[in-house]
Amino acid sequence: MPPLPKSFHTSYPDADSAIDRRIPDFPIAQLLDEDVYFNTHKPPTYLGEIEAEISEFIDYHIKNTGKKVVLVTSGGTTVPLENNTVRFIDNFSAGTRGATSAEYFLELGYAVVFLHREFSLLPYSRHYSHTTNCFLDYMTEANNRVEINPNFADEMLVVLRKYNAAKESNSLLLVPFTTVNQYLYTLKTISGVLSKLESRALFFLAAAVSDFFLPHSRMPEHKIQSQTSGTLIVNLEQVPKFLSRLVDNWAPTAMIVSFKLETDSLILIKKAIGALERYQHQLVIGNLLQTRKKEVVFVTLKDENWVRLTEEQIGKNVEIESIMIPKVIEAHDQWIKSKQNN
Ligand code: 9Z3
């Protein structure tokens, strides 16, 4: 696995551009909102670097392994309120769904581009990085040397072997984002490269993406001062619906799976069907915030299928992604076949 690009961090605000009055104001909803968005928001400065990495990764797999490739998106996007960002709005997601799913895709033979919120959970390291333990709790001292605590060693060996297999086969590429702007530009760029694989590309969009954002033209350069206004009223715009661009233009022959997150069980299926009708993609996986680790629902325009862990599976710490991902792969294989028959 190549290391994270070292020359930048997505969590640092872009102080150079501050407020730039040459960028036209963000107009209220109109046709082709996505194009307006890209015309009025600058790409992250490191985008070219990421594009080169992804192209190299995809070309490697086209030439050497013939693996199917999945883009897994993971974690929440931020919406900065200031250009030199002190305050921002965040979306809920620890990155568990994405990081866990990536591991099962890798195990089942996919190459994985992991587009994730920087510092959220990562495949393999997730087993150790965000637990309540300090990482030193996994160590012990024996004969003046540091060793792995025997209580964790067996499980760690299993994880280590899978991690090494992914690394040695160059099957995992980590790509970070922090803000919704970085996410959207990077998604667009990756889609362009992945579209080369046509139906053998799969999009698994588990990231929790902001629905609202503060257009660049209205963003103050410096920290908002509390003395001046007393109250803070923030007027946000809707993030344009990028899924339709992805389905229609960026990667029109890839299979696209999106997630629908709700907290009210009464509207989950309706919202999932609404998304399928609107974007015409292949599959929506619905989940409720409260039960997302125990049950999800696969929704297509033909049917809905619940995947639920049994009490016994929950007791044995079975991860729901170990059941979900083989089903997604089955659907992807059918998608590939249907495209070959066309
Ligand atoms: C999800 O629904 C993910 O499964 C979760 C995973 C964010 C719930 P965790 O990272 O949580 O395991 O803690 N992701 C999609 C959320 C989302 O923003 N969906 C949009 C929507 O529901 C469509 S892109 O409208």
Side-chain angles (χ1 to χ4, degrees):
M1 174 179 36
L4 269 178
K6 291 235 170 19
S7 58
F8 60 84
H9 274 291
T10 59
S11 50
Y12 298 164
D14 178 10
D16 286 353
S17 55
I19 190 160
D20 183 348
R21 291 289 172 207
R22 286 165 308 177
I23 297 175
D25 197 5
F26 189 79
I28 308 162
Q30 52 171 254
L31 226 62
L32 299 180
D33 280 345
E34 313 82 45
D35 300 334
V36 174
Y37 180 91
F38 288 117
N39 284 339
T40 51
H41 292 84
K42 284 188 184 167
T45 47
Y46 56 79
L47 198 61
E49 206 177 312
I50 283 190
E51 185 170 18
E53 266 198 357
I54 293 169
S55 296
E56 195 184 320
F57 182 77
I58 298 299
D59 289 346
Y60 172 84
H61 285 288
I62 290 176
K63 221 163 134 197
N64 299 294
T65 70
K67 285 185 177 194
K68 291 173 282 182
V69 179
V70 59
L71 170 72
V72 176
T73 69
S74 184
T77 59
T78 70
V79 170
L81 298 184
E82 299 132 344
N83 204 19
N84 289 285
T85 310
V86 176
R87 281 66 158 256
F88 56 88
I89 300 173
D90 208 346
N91 254 60
F92 162 84
S93 171
T96 318
R97 174 83 77 222
T100 311
S101 301
E103 283 184 24
Y104 289 106
F105 276 119
L106 286 159
E107 231 173 281
L108 294 168
Y110 275 70
V112 175
V113 179
F114 190 66
L115 177 59
H116 66 284
R117 165 77 173 273
E118 194 169 6
F119 308 124
S120 68
L121 290 177
L122 293 175
Y124 307 113
S125 76
R126 77 181 168 101
H127 298 271
Y128 309 103
S129 59
H130 290 48
T131 56
T132 49
N133 297 329
C134 165
F135 82 97
L136 290 169
D137 290 336
Y138 296 103
M139 317 289 176
T140 187
E141 188 182 330
N143 305 322
N144 269 336
R145 290 164 61 95
V146 176
E147 287 182 3
I148 298 297
N149 181 333
N151 295 337
F152 301 107
D154 287 350
E155 197 193 306
M156 206 179 268
L157 182 62
V158 175
V159 178
L160 180 69
R161 282 183 178 152
K162 289 179 183 169
Y163 170 67
N164 282 338
K167 208 160 69 164
E168 281 153 22
S169 61
N170 182 30
S171 295
L172 175 59
L173 182 69
L174 304 179
V175 183
F177 66 80
T178 295
T179 66
V180 68
N181 187 54
Q182 292 168 338
Y183 172 84
L184 294 172
Y185 265 105
T186 314
L187 177 66
K188 184 180 182 209
T189 299
I190 296 176
S191 310
V193 181
L194 245 66
S195 64
K196 269 194 209 172
L197 288 156
E198 300 192 339
S199 63
R200 293 180 66 76
L202 172 63
F203 286 72
F204 186 84
L205 306 173
V209 182
S210 325
D211 282 330
F212 302 98
F213 79 114
L214 183 65
H216 189 264
S217 55
R218 300 215 293 259
M219 196 182 290
E221 177 182 356
H222 290 295
K223 183 178 168 227
I224 300 166
Q225 293 300 311
S226 55
Q227 300 94 313
T228 36
S229 60
T231 57
L232 175 64
I233 296 166
V234 184
N235 191 3
L236 301 176
E237 295 294 337
Q238 252 195 46
V239 170
K241 301 294 179 198
F242 289 90
L243 213 46
S244 57
R245 266 282 173 269
L246 179 62
V247 175
D248 295 339
N249 305 102
W250 298 348
T253 45
M255 176 166 172
I256 293 166
V257 180
S258 73
F259 276 77
K260 177 57 72 184
L261 174 64
E262 292 297 340
T263 56
D264 178 356
S265 60
L266 297 177
I267 62 171
L268 180 63
I269 302 285
K270 200 174 81 188
K271 298 290 288 242
I273 292 173
L276 286 166
E277 284 172 345
R278 180 167 192 174
Y279 305 118
Q280 299 289 315
H281 60 306
Q282 289 70 50
L283 173 65
V284 173
I285 302 180
N287 54 179
L288 293 168
L289 184 70
Q290 305 88 326
T291 55
R292 68 192 191 286
K293 296 196 177 169
K294 289 192 290 200
E295 58 178 21
V296 297
V297 57
F298 281 46
V299 184
T300 66
L301 285 179
K302 283 198 218 105
D303 54 14
E304 58 182 75
N305 285 300
W306 284 90
V307 176
R308 288 193 173 96
L309 291 181
T310 61
E311 284 307 316
E312 196 190 341
Q313 286 171 322
I314 293 169
K316 287 185 179 158
N317 291 328
V318 171
E319 295 174 315
I320 195 163
E321 290 79 7
S322 69
I323 305 169
M324 290 164 63
I325 301 310
K327 287 186 190 299
V328 172
I329 293 177
E330 206 181 300
H332 187 207
D333 286 338
Q334 276 172 16
W335 172 256
I336 295 171
K337 248 190 226 150
S338 74
K339 290 286 160 190
Q340 281 162 351
N341 295 340
N342 274 346

